[in-house]
Amino acid sequence: MSTLDEAIKQLLSIEGATGAAVVDYSSGMALAQGGNSGFDLGVAAAGNSNVVSAKLRTMADLSLDGDIEDILITLGGQYHLINVLNSRDSKGLFVYLVLDRTYANLALARHKLNNVAKGITI
């Protein structure tokens, strides 16, 4: 079990991490955030809430079973990882992690993100 501030600290310790947030996707509000991503994480949280909501609606429209585990957005110099939390104690939240592509190992970052995300509860 991890407090949100502890989770942000753990996420920012991932090599290449420049920003992290835990977000309520129904409201688009970041419940916790940290780092120096070079942009406003609050705006990013709200925008990525739309991404998660759109994917959930599409899955419902297609009658797809299962949960979203993660979403990867690849930019020229960054990876943006969205890990949707699906446990009973964290439903409705996602973790947003910004990685600098120069320094990040994507596979290792996803593994570490999944481990941190499993411990997040509210």
Side-chain angles (χ1 to χ4, degrees), residues 3 11 13-15 21-22 26 28-29 31 36-37 46 49-50 52 62 66 75 79 83-84 97 100 116 118-119 122:
T3 69
L11 292 165
S13 73
I14 296 171
E15 188 170 356
V22 177
S26 63
M29 298 295 295
L31 305 179
N36 182 16
S37 61
S49 293
N50 293 332
V52 172
L62 295 171
L75 304 176
Y79 295 121
N83 183 294
V84 180
L97 180 64
D100 182 322
V116 172
K118 286 177 189 176
I122 296 195

Side-chain angles (χ1 to χ4, degrees), residues 8 19-34 37 39-53 73 80-82 92-98:
I8 295 297
V22 177
V23 183
D24 175 343
Y25 62 75
S26 63
S27 69
M29 298 295 295
L31 305 179
Q33 63 184 5
S37 61
F39 57 85
D40 187 335
L41 282 168
V43 171
N48 284 302
S49 293
N50 293 332
V51 171
V52 172
S53 295
I73 300 169
H80 292 218
L81 290 170
I82 299 169
L93 303 178
F94 68 88
V95 178
Y96 175 60
L97 180 64
V98 181

Side-chain angles (χ1 to χ4, degrees), residues 39-76:
F39 57 85
D40 187 335
L41 282 168
V43 171
N48 284 302
S49 293
N50 293 332
V51 171
V52 172
S53 295
K55 187 59 185 172
L56 289 170
R57 280 192 309 274
T58 302
M59 288 175 62
D61 291 345
L62 295 171
S63 300
L64 295 177
D65 291 330
D67 295 318
I68 298 172
E69 291 179 19
D70 60 25
I71 298 168
L72 168 64
I73 300 169
T74 305
L75 304 176

